[in-house]
mmCIF file of all heavy atoms in Angstrom:
data_model
loop_
_atom_site.group_PDB
_atom_site.id
_atom_site.type_symbol
_atom_site.label_atom_id
_atom_site.label_comp_id
_atom_site.label_asym_id
_atom_site.label_seq_id
_atom_site.Cartn_x
_atom_site.Cartn_y
_atom_site.Cartn_z
ATOM 1 N N MET X 1 170.346 16.490 75.698
ATOM 2 C CA MET X 1 169.863 15.136 75.519
ATOM 3 C C MET X 1 170.779 14.149 75.956
ATOM 4 O O MET X 1 171.891 14.210 75.579
ATOM 5 C CB MET X 1 169.323 14.936 74.128
ATOM 6 C CG MET X 1 168.711 13.600 73.888
ATOM 7 S SD MET X 1 167.701 13.640 72.433
ATOM 8 C CE MET X 1 166.364 14.772 72.950
ATOM 9 N N PRO X 2 170.346 13.103 76.828
ATOM 10 C CA PRO X 2 171.377 12.124 77.288
ATOM 11 C C PRO X 2 171.894 11.263 76.110
ATOM 12 O O PRO X 2 171.090 11.128 75.117
ATOM 13 C CB PRO X 2 170.518 11.312 78.249
ATOM 14 C CG PRO X 2 169.100 11.517 78.024
ATOM 15 C CD PRO X 2 169.024 12.874 77.225
ATOM 16 N N ASP X 3 172.977 10.821 76.228
ATOM 17 C CA ASP X 3 173.566 9.937 75.142
ATOM 18 C C ASP X 3 172.990 8.462 75.318
ATOM 19 O O ASP X 3 173.392 7.780 76.263
ATOM 20 C CB ASP X 3 175.178 9.969 75.345
ATOM 21 C CG ASP X 3 175.727 8.997 74.360
ATOM 22 O OD1 ASP X 3 175.131 8.547 73.398
ATOM 23 O OD2 ASP X 3 176.925 8.829 74.449
ATOM 24 N N ALA X 17 165.714 3.974 71.453
ATOM 25 C CA ALA X 17 166.001 5.395 71.239
ATOM 26 C C ALA X 17 166.426 5.709 69.889
ATOM 27 O O ALA X 17 167.046 4.739 69.200
ATOM 28 C CB ALA X 17 167.015 5.862 72.296
ATOM 29 N N VAL X 18 166.104 6.747 69.323
ATOM 30 C CA VAL X 18 166.633 7.169 68.003
ATOM 31 C C VAL X 18 167.279 8.570 68.145
ATOM 32 O O VAL X 18 166.739 9.397 68.968
ATOM 33 C CB VAL X 18 165.597 7.216 66.880
ATOM 34 C CG1 VAL X 18 165.103 5.743 66.676
ATOM 35 C CG2 VAL X 18 164.371 8.072 67.209
ATOM 36 N N ARG X 19 168.276 8.808 67.412
ATOM 37 C CA ARG X 19 169.018 10.083 67.374
ATOM 38 C C ARG X 19 169.230 10.571 66.043
ATOM 39 O O ARG X 19 169.781 9.824 65.157
ATOM 40 C CB ARG X 19 170.490 10.001 68.068
ATOM 41 C CG ARG X 19 170.371 9.651 69.521
ATOM 42 C CD ARG X 19 169.816 10.902 70.365
ATOM 43 N NE ARG X 19 169.813 10.578 71.699
ATOM 44 C CZ ARG X 19 168.659 10.104 72.321
ATOM 45 N NH1 ARG X 19 167.578 9.702 71.609
ATOM 46 N NH2 ARG X 19 168.594 9.935 73.644
ATOM 47 N N ASP X 20 168.847 11.821 65.792
ATOM 48 C CA ASP X 20 169.088 12.516 64.503
ATOM 49 C C ASP X 20 168.692 11.721 63.302
ATOM 50 O O ASP X 20 169.402 11.597 62.265
ATOM 51 C CB ASP X 20 170.618 12.909 64.438
ATOM 52 C CG ASP X 20 170.979 13.660 65.669
ATOM 53 O OD1 ASP X 20 170.258 14.592 66.099
ATOM 54 O OD2 ASP X 20 172.104 13.286 66.225
ATOM 55 N N LEU X 21 167.575 11.077 63.381
ATOM 56 C CA LEU X 21 167.044 10.235 62.279
ATOM 57 C C LEU X 21 166.749 11.007 61.079
ATOM 58 O O LEU X 21 165.986 12.083 61.159
ATOM 59 C CB LEU X 21 165.776 9.487 62.691
ATOM 60 C CG LEU X 21 165.837 8.181 63.388
ATOM 61 C CD1 LEU X 21 164.423 7.493 63.292
ATOM 62 C CD2 LEU X 21 166.873 7.276 62.780
ATOM 63 N N GLU X 22 167.268 10.675 59.921
ATOM 64 C CA GLU X 22 166.821 11.114 58.635
ATOM 65 C C GLU X 22 166.292 9.915 57.723
ATOM 66 O O GLU X 22 166.945 8.907 57.768
ATOM 67 C CB GLU X 22 167.885 11.946 58.029
ATOM 68 C CG GLU X 22 168.272 13.266 58.836
ATOM 69 C CD GLU X 22 169.515 13.951 58.206
ATOM 70 O OE1 GLU X 22 169.829 13.747 56.987
ATOM 71 O OE2 GLU X 22 170.195 14.671 59.102
ATOM 72 N N LYS X 23 165.406 10.205 56.973
ATOM 73 C CA LYS X 23 164.937 9.169 56.077
ATOM 74 C C LYS X 23 164.518 9.876 54.743
ATOM 75 O O LYS X 23 163.578 10.728 54.748
ATOM 76 C CB LYS X 23 163.814 8.315 56.558
ATOM 77 C CG LYS X 23 163.341 7.283 55.619
ATOM 78 C CD LYS X 23 164.219 6.184 55.393
ATOM 79 C CE LYS X 23 163.725 5.171 54.347
ATOM 80 N NZ LYS X 23 164.726 4.068 54.201
ATOM 81 N N LEU X 35 161.864 12.160 56.956
ATOM 82 C CA LEU X 35 162.310 12.438 58.424
ATOM 83 C C LEU X 35 163.406 13.282 58.284
ATOM 84 O O LEU X 35 164.483 13.103 57.542
ATOM 85 C CB LEU X 35 162.600 11.092 59.101
ATOM 86 C CG LEU X 35 161.522 10.050 59.164
ATOM 87 C CD1 LEU X 35 162.070 8.878 59.983
ATOM 88 C CD2 LEU X 35 160.268 10.608 59.908
ATOM 89 N N ARG X 36 163.466 14.374 59.084
ATOM 90 C CA ARG X 36 164.510 15.468 58.942
ATOM 91 C C ARG X 36 165.085 15.711 60.298
ATOM 92 O O ARG X 36 165.136 16.898 60.781
ATOM 93 C CB ARG X 36 163.961 16.812 58.453
ATOM 94 C CG ARG X 36 163.190 16.562 57.173
ATOM 95 C CD ARG X 36 162.411 17.755 56.806
ATOM 96 N NE ARG X 36 161.543 17.527 55.557
ATOM 97 C CZ ARG X 36 161.437 18.294 54.509
ATOM 98 N NH1 ARG X 36 162.187 19.387 54.457
ATOM 99 N NH2 ARG X 36 160.597 17.915 53.542
ATOM 100 N N GLY X 37 165.599 14.702 60.989
ATOM 101 C CA GLY X 37 166.393 14.936 62.225
ATOM 102 C C GLY X 37 165.495 14.632 63.469
ATOM 103 O O GLY X 37 165.112 15.679 64.224
ATOM 104 N N ILE X 38 165.147 13.433 63.570
ATOM 105 C CA ILE X 38 164.189 13.065 64.777
ATOM 106 C C ILE X 38 164.990 12.323 65.905
ATOM 107 O O ILE X 38 165.720 11.348 65.629
ATOM 108 C CB ILE X 38 163.018 12.201 64.293
ATOM 109 C CG1 ILE X 38 162.210 13.124 63.532
ATOM 110 C CG2 ILE X 38 162.360 11.489 65.421
ATOM 111 C CD1 ILE X 38 160.667 12.625 63.288
ATOM 112 N N SER X 39 164.864 12.753 67.104
ATOM 113 C CA SER X 39 165.511 12.120 68.303
ATOM 114 C C SER X 39 164.340 11.854 69.252
ATOM 115 O O SER X 39 163.592 12.795 69.522
ATOM 116 C CB SER X 39 166.554 12.995 68.923
ATOM 117 O OG SER X 39 167.655 13.255 68.072
ATOM 118 N N LEU X 40 164.321 10.627 69.720
ATOM 119 C CA LEU X 40 163.076 10.241 70.543
ATOM 120 C C LEU X 40 163.578 9.083 71.492
ATOM 121 O O LEU X 40 164.249 8.213 70.986
ATOM 122 C CB LEU X 40 161.929 9.856 69.615
ATOM 123 C CG LEU X 40 160.673 9.371 70.302
ATOM 124 C CD1 LEU X 40 160.009 10.485 71.015
ATOM 125 C CD2 LEU X 40 159.778 8.912 69.151
ATOM 126 N N ASP X 41 163.096 8.967 72.623
ATOM 127 C CA ASP X 41 163.402 7.938 73.608
ATOM 128 C C ASP X 41 162.064 7.247 73.865
ATOM 129 O O ASP X 41 161.069 8.027 74.184
ATOM 130 C CB ASP X 41 163.926 8.355 74.973
ATOM 131 C CG ASP X 41 165.384 8.679 74.791
ATOM 132 O OD1 ASP X 41 165.928 8.925 73.734
ATOM 133 O OD2 ASP X 41 166.058 8.844 75.870
ATOM 134 N N LEU X 61 158.501 6.912 60.509
ATOM 135 C CA LEU X 61 159.238 6.826 61.819
ATOM 136 C C LEU X 61 158.956 5.541 62.446
ATOM 137 O O LEU X 61 159.804 4.983 63.040
ATOM 138 C CB LEU X 61 158.715 8.116 62.617
ATOM 139 C CG LEU X 61 159.168 8.033 64.108
ATOM 140 C CD1 LEU X 61 160.727 8.134 64.191
ATOM 141 C CD2 LEU X 61 158.697 9.255 64.892
ATOM 142 N N VAL X 64 161.132 2.818 60.994
ATOM 143 C CA VAL X 64 162.449 2.752 61.418
ATOM 144 C C VAL X 64 162.633 2.349 62.821
ATOM 145 O O VAL X 64 163.520 1.625 63.174
ATOM 146 C CB VAL X 64 163.047 4.251 61.187
ATOM 147 C CG1 VAL X 64 164.429 4.329 61.752
ATOM 148 C CG2 VAL X 64 162.976 4.576 59.732
ATOM 149 N N PRO X 71 167.340 3.879 58.490
ATOM 150 C CA PRO X 71 167.238 5.284 58.177
ATOM 151 C C PRO X 71 168.293 5.655 57.194
ATOM 152 O O PRO X 71 169.242 4.839 57.002
ATOM 153 C CB PRO X 71 167.586 5.855 59.632
ATOM 154 C CG PRO X 71 168.351 4.750 60.286
ATOM 155 C CD PRO X 71 167.802 3.469 59.762
ATOM 156 N N THR X 72 168.171 6.767 56.542
ATOM 157 C CA THR X 72 169.239 7.360 55.767
ATOM 158 C C THR X 72 170.404 7.807 56.515
ATOM 159 O O THR X 72 171.592 7.633 56.135
ATOM 160 C CB THR X 72 168.685 8.432 54.772
ATOM 161 O OG1 THR X 72 167.450 7.981 54.210
ATOM 162 C CG2 THR X 72 169.602 8.818 53.731
ATOM 163 N N ALA X 73 170.038 8.362 57.672
ATOM 164 C CA ALA X 73 171.164 8.802 58.647
ATOM 165 C C ALA X 73 170.516 8.745 59.999
ATOM 166 O O ALA X 73 169.406 8.733 60.215
ATOM 167 C CB ALA X 73 171.573 10.249 58.263
ATOM 168 N N GLY X 74 171.518 8.753 61.023
ATOM 169 C CA GLY X 74 171.040 8.796 62.429
ATOM 170 C C GLY X 74 171.085 7.340 62.981
ATOM 171 O O GLY X 74 171.505 6.425 62.264
ATOM 172 N N THR X 75 170.922 7.270 64.260
ATOM 173 C CA THR X 75 171.048 5.924 64.940
ATOM 174 C C THR X 75 169.808 5.427 65.616
ATOM 175 O O THR X 75 168.979 6.190 66.076
ATOM 176 C CB THR X 75 172.257 6.072 66.028
ATOM 177 O OG1 THR X 75 171.872 7.039 66.903
ATOM 178 C CG2 THR X 75 173.590 6.175 65.498
ATOM 179 N N VAL X 76 169.708 4.144 65.700
ATOM 180 C CA VAL X 76 168.661 3.413 66.383
ATOM 181 C C VAL X 76 169.242 2.614 67.527
ATOM 182 O O VAL X 76 170.235 1.813 67.114
ATOM 183 C CB VAL X 76 167.695 2.609 65.453
ATOM 184 C CG1 VAL X 76 166.566 1.886 66.267
ATOM 185 C CG2 VAL X 76 167.242 3.424 64.182
ATOM 186 N N VAL X 77 168.854 2.778 68.693
ATOM 187 C CA VAL X 77 169.370 1.979 69.788
ATOM 188 C C VAL X 77 168.432 1.282 70.544
ATOM 189 O O VAL X 77 167.436 1.836 71.064
ATOM 190 C CB VAL X 77 170.165 3.000 70.751
ATOM 191 C CG1 VAL X 77 170.744 2.258 71.979
ATOM 192 C CG2 VAL X 77 171.252 3.882 70.032
ATOM 193 N N GLY X 231 158.316 15.791 58.985
ATOM 194 C CA GLY X 231 159.483 14.969 59.344
ATOM 195 C C GLY X 231 160.222 15.452 60.580
ATOM 196 O O GLY X 231 161.400 14.965 60.805
ATOM 197 N N ILE X 233 159.886 16.645 64.979
ATOM 198 C CA ILE X 233 159.054 16.710 66.094
ATOM 199 C C ILE X 233 158.856 18.158 66.425
ATOM 200 O O ILE X 233 159.811 18.913 66.621
ATOM 201 C CB ILE X 233 159.710 15.900 67.272
ATOM 202 C CG1 ILE X 233 159.789 14.389 67.005
ATOM 203 C CG2 ILE X 233 158.910 16.182 68.540
ATOM 204 C CD1 ILE X 233 160.377 13.609 68.028
#
Side-chain angles (χ1 to χ4, degrees):
M1 183 157 294
D3 175 7
V18 291
R19 289 293 177 274
D20 308 315
L21 272 194
E22 294 173 23
K23 176 73 185 178
L35 301 180
R36 306 172 189 227
I38 288 198
S39 295
L40 180 66
D41 284 16
L61 174 59
V64 175
T72 308
T75 51
V76 182
V77 179
I233 293 179

